[in-house]
Structures are given as structure tokens and as C-alpha cells.
């Protein structure tokens, strides 16, 4: 993972990988805020199995953004280290997806920290939960039902 130090703090390149189940307009929303973002479909990865997409994301230091909560939590619970996972809850319209992702970007910027080994869940009511999530630190009961 391409983690480097800046002013005594570890940082990632802050690059988001937008899952094909979401609108490609989330890429523009990220770039408008100064973040790098790519859309799975535009990278030629449409139709890839989740485990393949996770492997690609980890190899390329992407923070994955998805609304496929159950499958991605299971895959990320197997990893020792990853750049982060953002889940938009629930599945919604394009405008709802953009609003939830904007909220995620707000929280990400305000945290002044990376999402290494973390999952960020953004709920329809605007609340955001950030918790540890990797092979060592995760609560499997959380996969079925988000806890707040």
C-alpha cells in the first residue's frame, strides 16, 4: 500500500473507486472537491466479481465507494490492510447517492485522517459512522444490521 508520511502523518493518495452499482456522477462530485476518483465501468471492470474488484482496489490503494454493503463488508473483513471502504445506505436515486457521497466527503475532509482499515457508513438521515474493519478488527454481526 502506498502510504507515505507528510508532516508526521500518514496519508494515502485519497483516490476513490466508485462501484458500478452507483452513478458515475459521483466521480465528478469527488473531482469537484479536489479528490481523485475513478468509475469501475470506465476502467473496464464492469461485471467483475466483488472479490476481484476488492483485490484490484487494494492493489491500487483505492477507497471503494458502494451501496453493496453486505458483500463488501464480508470481503473487507478478510483483509489485513486496505485504504478504506465507504458504504452509502440505503440504495437510492442518483441525487440521493450524490448527497450521501457529498456527506462522506465532508466527514472525510473534517476527520483530517485517512480511512486505512476503516469502513465509513453514510445513512440516509445524514449520520455517518466510521469504525475499524479488517481481518483483525470487525464485528461480523454488523454485516447483517448496521449498528449506530
Amino acid at each position: 500500500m502506498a502510504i507515505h508520511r507528510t508532516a508526521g502523518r500518514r496519508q494515502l493518495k485519497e483516490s476513490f473507486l466508485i462501484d458500478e452499482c452507483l452513478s458515475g456522477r459521483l466521480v465528478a462530485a469527488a473531482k469537484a472537491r479536489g479528490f481523485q476518483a475513478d468509475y469501475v465501468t470506465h476502467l473496464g471492470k464492469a461485471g467483475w466479481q466483488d472479490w476481484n474488484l476488492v483485490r484490484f482496489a487494494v492493489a491500487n490503494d483505492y477507497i471503494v465507494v458502494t451501496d453493496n454493503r453486505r458483500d463488501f463488508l464480508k470481503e473487507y473483513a478478510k483483509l489485513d490492510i486496505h485504504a478504506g471502504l465507504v458504504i452509502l445506505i440505503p440504495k437510492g436515486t442518483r441525487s440521493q447517492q450524490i448527497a450521501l457521497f457529498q456527506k462522506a466527503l465532508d466527514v472525510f475532509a473534517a476527520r483530517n485522517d485517512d480511512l486505512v482499515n476503516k469502513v465509513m457508513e453514510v445513512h440516509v438521515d445524514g449520520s455517518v459512522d466510521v469504525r475499524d474493519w479488517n481481518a483483525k478488527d470487525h464485528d461480523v454481526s454488523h454485516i447483517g444490521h448496521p449498528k449506530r
Side-chain angles (χ1 to χ4, degrees):
M1 189 171 268
I3 298 174
H4 61 277
R5 300 235 175 238
T6 303
R9 181 178 147 238
R10 70 181 189 178
Q11 284 186 318
L12 289 173
K13 60 183 178 177
E14 300 167 344
S15 188
F16 294 93
L17 181 63
I18 310 301
D19 194 4
E20 67 183 315
C21 62
L22 298 173
S23 170
R25 292 191 181 181
L26 273 63
V27 172
K31 289 183 176 184
R33 303 273 301 267
F35 295 102
Q36 173 59 36
D38 291 306
Y39 192 44
V40 167
T41 304
H42 295 162
L43 295 175
K45 312 295 184 207
W48 274 28
Q49 296 291 322
D50 295 335
W51 64 270
N52 272 331
L53 195 57
V54 169
R55 191 167 68 189
F56 172 79
V58 168
N60 293 282
D61 297 330
Y62 279 111
I63 299 168
V64 171
V65 182
T66 187
D67 65 1
N68 184 353
R69 186 177 181 282
R70 179 179 293 270
D71 293 338
F72 277 85
L73 284 178
K74 286 179 183 177
E75 291 300 323
Y76 274 73
K78 300 173 189 174
L79 301 175
D80 291 323
I81 189 163
H82 60 84
L85 175 63
V86 175
I87 302 172
L88 308 181
I89 305 170
K91 296 178 185 284
T93 65
R94 183 180 324 173
S95 60
Q96 289 170 323
Q97 292 173 8
I98 292 169
L100 292 174
F101 186 51
Q102 292 284 8
K103 181 65 175 180
L105 294 173
D106 290 343
V107 171
F108 182 76
R111 280 176 47 85
N112 196 29
D113 197 5
D114 57 46
L115 288 177
V116 171
N117 286 350
K118 305 245 185 262
V119 60
M120 174 188 290
E121 294 181 306
V122 186
H123 303 271
V124 71
D125 65 2
S127 64
V128 178
D129 299 310
V130 178
R131 63 178 37 91
D132 292 332
W133 198 269
N134 60 27
K136 187 195 242 182
D137 297 313
H138 68 276
D139 174 6
V140 293
S141 67
H142 182 73
I143 292 174
H145 304 285
K147 294 178 186 168
R148 292 192 172 178

